[in-house]
Amino acid sequence: MTDKYHEIVSLSKVNTDDNLVKAEVEKILADNMDANRTTDVYKFLFNCIDLTTLNATDSQQSVARFTQRVNDFENEHGDLPNVAAICVYPCFTPVVRTVLDVTEVNIAAVSGGFPSSQTFPEVKVAETALAVEGGADEIDIVLNIGNFLDGDWEEVCDEISELKHSCRDAHLKVILETGALQTAENIRAASILAMNSGADFIKTSTGKGYPGASLEAAYVMCQCIKEYHEKTGRMVGFKPAGGVSSTDDALGYYCIVKHVLGEKWLDNEYFRLGASRLANNLLSDILGTETKFF
């Protein structure tokens, strides 16, 4: 007997033929990349960055310095939009909250046993609540891939719903780890389950241990977001992450979002880029000279 979770996914009309998805992505890029290579688009993409430090070497001092550079950017490049958010491990949210002076930059924290999602559910809930209490405006969690691949979709959805509750007023981004899911069929199912469980964003990857974002995964995820919006009226954001480092990388995702979801999603409330190296590359293209600010 099919449970309600498999039934919801089975009703989707989003195409999961990997070859057709690949062909559609190639067409979108061929038709749109050159036209969107403009300084205004680069500035918009810069304003969508979740500037990220997720290293074993992170410390209170290093995260404070990292945050201060965002303050410095505001002072030195006040004519340019700043990044959208600073993304850190949950224990560093109080540091960012203390140092960050730029009100329009949010604080994001990974949580829920990032990057594997392999810990006790109670730990995930507590970690998420502590991150929000420490100052996080946004929480990035990883969908439980083991349970998903086992077909235990009820457990997957219950966990996301519980973590959404732990977020209180913070936005919840659910990372699908598309490099582990591999197929368009799996990516479609994971996208639908995450959105139906309360995700405010769906995100491609952790950038840890599996292949990062791909344009094909982005296309499927955006199609799912579009279908979900048509059914519910709720707009869910999209965030590629993991290996998004060059201006052209970012531009490819921009073209897909614009083509599939349209202008309403071209706002950093609904489109983000998870990156550590991208900021300097975009900044170099905006300013017309090689720049290593961050």
Side-chain angles (χ1 to χ4, degrees):
M1 189 171 103
T2 304
D3 62 37
K4 68 177 183 179
Y5 305 97
H6 286 79
E7 185 177 353
I8 289 169
V9 171
S10 72
L11 294 173
S12 174
K13 305 297 184 192
V14 171
N15 195 312
T16 57
D17 183 311
D18 289 297
N19 290 325
L20 287 177
V21 168
K22 188 172 187 297
E24 186 61 24
V25 166
E26 288 172 356
K27 185 176 187 307
I28 291 169
L29 298 186
D31 292 347
N32 295 283
M33 284 286 282
D34 287 343
N36 286 301
R37 283 196 179 96
T38 69
T39 302
D40 283 345
V41 171
Y42 296 163
K43 288 178 181 178
F44 167 73
L45 291 170
F46 186 85
N47 190 224
C48 292
I49 291 175
D50 285 356
L51 194 67
T52 303
T53 180
L54 296 170
N55 303 309
T57 53
D58 288 346
S59 67
Q60 291 198 18
Q61 289 185 16
S62 72
V63 171
R65 288 194 299 269
F66 186 77
T67 305
Q68 184 57 44
R69 290 307 283 161
V70 174
N71 294 337
D72 294 342
F73 184 83
E74 186 82 357
N75 295 328
E76 296 178 33
H77 296 281
D79 56 323
L80 296 177
N82 214 316
V83 296
I86 295 172
C87 184
V88 295
Y89 281 114
C91 54
F92 294 118
T93 53
V95 177
V96 182
R97 177 61 71 201
T98 300
V99 176
L100 184 63
D101 293 330
V102 188
T103 54
E104 66 268 24
V105 176
N106 282 351
I107 301 171
V110 296
S111 185
F114 179 93
S116 67
S117 193
Q118 300 287 18
T119 189
F120 298 102
E122 297 86 352
V123 172
K124 296 181 183 184
V125 168
E127 186 177 46
T128 299
L130 287 166
V132 174
E133 186 180 335
D137 305 297
E138 305 169 5
I139 295 291
D140 292 34
I141 64 162
V142 184
L143 176 141
N144 192 311
I145 301 161
N147 285 341
F148 174 85
L149 294 175
D150 277 354
D152 192 355
W153 291 359
E154 182 176 4
E155 189 67 30
V156 170
C157 292
D158 284 351
E159 181 172 282
I160 294 171
S161 297
E162 191 168 7
L163 291 172
K164 171 66 176 172
H165 181 72
S166 293
C167 283
R168 302 199 290 275
D169 294 331
H171 276 201
L172 179 67
K173 305 194 198 90
V174 177
I175 305 166
L176 308 185
E177 199 67 288
T178 54
L181 297 178
Q182 297 184 341
T183 66
E185 187 173 2
N186 279 340
I187 293 165
R188 179 183 71 174
S191 298
I192 292 167
L193 295 176
M195 290 187 290
N196 277 279
S197 301
D200 298 297
F201 263 79
I202 52 176
K203 174 178 168 181
T204 59
S205 319
T206 62
K208 310 280 187 183
Y210 291 95
S214 75
L215 295 165
E216 290 76 19
Y219 178 79
V220 174
M221 291 167 70
C222 287
Q223 290 286 358
C224 290
I225 291 169
K226 180 180 180 181
E227 183 181 68
Y228 180 79
H229 178 250
E230 288 169 352
K231 288 180 178 179
T232 69
R234 188 167 79 92
M235 289 175 67
V236 173
F238 169 67
K239 177 179 172 180
V244 185
S245 59
S246 73
T247 297
D248 266 15
D249 288 340
L251 197 57
Y253 294 106
Y254 173 89
C255 290
I256 287 172
V257 169
K258 186 176 182 180
H259 179 85
V260 176
L261 293 170
E263 297 284 345
K264 282 174 71 176
W265 266 264
L266 295 180
D267 183 300
N268 71 9
E269 190 176 348
Y270 297 106
F271 179 44
R272 294 289 181 84
L273 295 154
S276 53
R277 292 171 292 168
L278 175 63
N280 285 330
N281 291 331
L282 269 173
L283 199 54
S284 297
D285 285 329
I286 291 166
L287 299 175
T289 182
E290 186 175 357
T291 305
K292 293 184 178 178
F293 189 91
F294 295 102

